[in-house]
Amino acid sequence: MCRKSATVCLIKPPVLEGVAGLPLVERLRVLPDPPRRRGVRHSFVAVLLIAASAVVAGAHSFAAIGQWAENAPQHALARLGARIIGVLGVRVAPSTVTIRRVIALACLGGLADLTGADPTGSDAVSVDGKAARGSRHGQTPAAHLLAEMTSDGRTISQLRVPDKTNEITCFTALLEPYELTGVTVTADALHTQRGHVRFLVQEKKAHYLLVVKANQPELHHRLRSLPWKGVTACRYDRETGHGRRETRATRALTVTELGLDFPHAAQAVRILRHRTDLVSGKVSRQTVYAITDLTSQQASPQRLGQLARSQWTIENRLHFVRDTTFREDASKIRTGHGPENMATLRNLAINTLRTAGHANIAAGLRHASYEPFTRPLDLLGIA
């Protein structure tokens, strides 16, 4: 079984050691070439590079990738390593059918790992899942993808949650290959599991900050019952944006002597958020509880508030971008590993544009589309 899929892999996943600093082309060469019954006409790496370049240029579907490849000039195809035919050395791009078949067969775990960011040295890593709604077909449920992201907005990797199960079963598999010593891992309430915490602290030597809700009723009740009114360690943050004004009060309380009965728990956190809609004037209030192994010396209320914000950021900087900018939920890609690998190519495009300094991904895609056969290749480092 592949660690990234519910299906049996026909190829061995690549080893990640020593590939983090390599250019994209060299990293993709590590990826095993899937077997193809009709033989090999186009280089496996060339097809993946063409697909990645087209996505950076704004392609949302296999048809759009195929159209981009069909219109690519000779100099672009030469940089991408496209097939050569005839004595004149004419470069020929793969067809849409070939591109679809290759992406659907490519090792989804290896592709996600090799094209993602390296978390080594990151301050925090956030874990969250998202369903690609358009991939649902008949009785086959939509592909549910669990992703991890650094605090600066770079996607590390992702995996598809096997059908008939949930994200809990995939948490350790997602994080296992990476060096996380000293990194704080944040996740929503679904992952507030004792097994996850032991894995992070004892095996990966990492820290955690996990949200606590009603899925852990006893722990949630104990956190609510703590003497929050007497807590003096508090941080207030105020900001205005996205049509609302928000005030957050973050309180932290040391719980090592309070018998909270949760592995490695050092502090409990309560975040009280007041939001005012600047258009309607409607005021809302929300209280969020969290727990962490970080001591008061390691993390102040300000630091804990920043970590909590980094968990909410994955929704805005990854899932929201894929939904709105790349129209992922409207995509009808359903066969093979197509939904997962297309999402991986979108993650690669987002990482590439952010690394190039584009804070707005939609604006970055427009910038690349003005010179669609040179700028995407330059951004991806394809010589």
Side-chain angles (χ1 to χ4, degrees):
M1 297 288 285
C2 175
R3 78 176 185 91
K4 295 295 183 83
S5 172
T7 59
V8 176
C9 277
L10 300 178
I11 50 181
K12 186 177 180 180
V15 178
L16 299 182
E17 291 184 10
V19 302
L22 296 177
L24 176 64
V25 178
E26 298 300 323
R27 279 180 280 150
L28 290 179
R29 289 197 177 110
V30 180
L31 192 65
D33 191 341
R36 283 171 273 177
R37 290 180 299 174
R38 299 182 182 179
V40 178
R41 293 186 177 181
H42 298 275
S43 163
F44 175 55
V45 173
V47 175
L48 293 178
L49 291 175
I50 287 171
S53 301
V55 172
V56 174
H60 296 162
S61 64
F62 289 142
I65 294 173
Q67 188 175 8
W68 184 93
E70 182 182 356
N71 288 276
Q74 287 294 300
H75 68 82
L77 293 176
R79 293 174 65 181
L80 293 164
R83 178 188 176 200
I84 301 176
I85 62 170
V87 296
L88 297 178
V90 177
R91 300 277 181 170
V92 178
S95 66
T96 302
V97 173
T98 298
I99 293 170
R100 178 189 295 114
R101 183 170 60 247
V102 169
I103 294 178
L105 289 174
C107 173
L108 66 159
L111 185 63
D113 290 342
L114 292 170
T115 57
D118 183 7
T120 304
S122 298
D123 179 53
V125 167
S126 303
V127 177
D128 197 22
K130 174 191 177 297
R133 295 183 178 88
S135 62
R136 180 177 180 179
H137 181 63
Q139 298 300 316
T140 304
H144 191 90
L145 307 175
L146 184 66
E148 53 184 331
M149 173 181 272
T150 62
S151 55
D152 60 355
R154 295 174 300 129
T155 303
I156 302 167
S157 187
Q158 70 178 12
L159 60 82
R160 177 167 180 168
V161 177
D163 299 339
K164 299 181 181 180
T165 183
N166 59 33
E167 296 177 13
I168 296 174
T169 61
C170 302
F171 183 86
T172 57
L174 179 67
L175 296 170
E176 178 62 39
Y178 300 100
E179 173 59 46
L180 297 175
T181 302
V183 178
T184 302
V185 176
T186 68
D188 59 21
L190 182 65
H191 297 290
T192 307
Q193 307 289 333
R194 287 166 170 78
H196 291 358
V197 166
R198 294 188 182 100
F199 164 76
L200 290 173
V201 177
Q202 296 169 201
E203 295 185 31
K204 304 302 291 182
K205 309 304 178 186
H207 300 290
Y208 69 86
L209 185 139
L210 301 173
V211 175
V212 180
K213 292 184 179 178
N215 64 319
Q216 294 276 359
E218 184 176 348
L219 180 60
H220 186 254
H221 174 73
R222 290 192 176 189
L223 291 180
R224 290 183 60 188
S225 303
L226 292 175
W228 294 108
K229 290 185 178 180
V231 173
T232 57
C234 184
R235 165 76 179 188
Y236 291 92
D237 293 288
R238 297 178 178 85
E239 63 180 31
T240 302
H242 305 287
R244 63 174 181 260
R245 182 172 58 251
E246 181 173 293
T247 300
R248 296 183 301 275
T250 304
R251 286 180 166 83
L253 178 64
T254 299
V255 295
T256 50
E257 303 297 330
L258 299 182
L260 206 55
D261 188 27
F262 195 77
H264 307 287
Q267 288 192 93
V269 185
R270 189 183 78 165
I271 303 174
L272 181 59
R273 295 190 291 179
H274 290 271
R275 287 181 176 177
T276 302
D277 190 296
L278 298 180
V279 176
S280 65
K282 181 179 179 181
V283 178
S284 61
R285 172 177 169 172
Q286 181 184 25
T287 302
V288 178
Y289 294 95
I291 195 165
T292 180
D293 70 317
L294 294 166
T295 65
S296 58
Q297 289 76 29
Q298 293 173 310
S300 65
Q302 178 182 6
R303 168 74 176 135
L304 294 172
Q306 291 170 345
L307 288 170
R309 292 283 289 173
S310 71
Q311 172 59 30
W312 301 328
T313 297
I314 191 172
E315 288 283 347
N316 297 327
R317 304 197 71 183
L318 180 63
H319 299 158
F320 181 77
V321 172
R322 292 210 321 240
D323 278 345
T324 58
T325 305
F326 290 97
R327 302 203 297 268
E328 183 171 89
D329 281 350
S331 173
K332 298 302 180 182
I333 297 173
R334 297 163 175 163
T335 57
H337 299 323
E340 305 96 297
N341 285 336
M342 278 300 296
T344 293
L345 293 177
R346 296 177 187 119
N347 293 343
L348 173 61
I350 294 170
N351 284 0
T352 301
L353 292 171
R354 286 217 172 99
T355 302
H358 293 283
N360 186 307
I361 300 302
L365 290 175
R366 289 194 296 270
H367 175 79
S369 70
Y370 298 147
E371 295 181 15
F373 301 113
T374 55
R375 287 182 180 175
L377 279 65
D378 293 340
L379 289 169
L380 291 169
I382 302 172

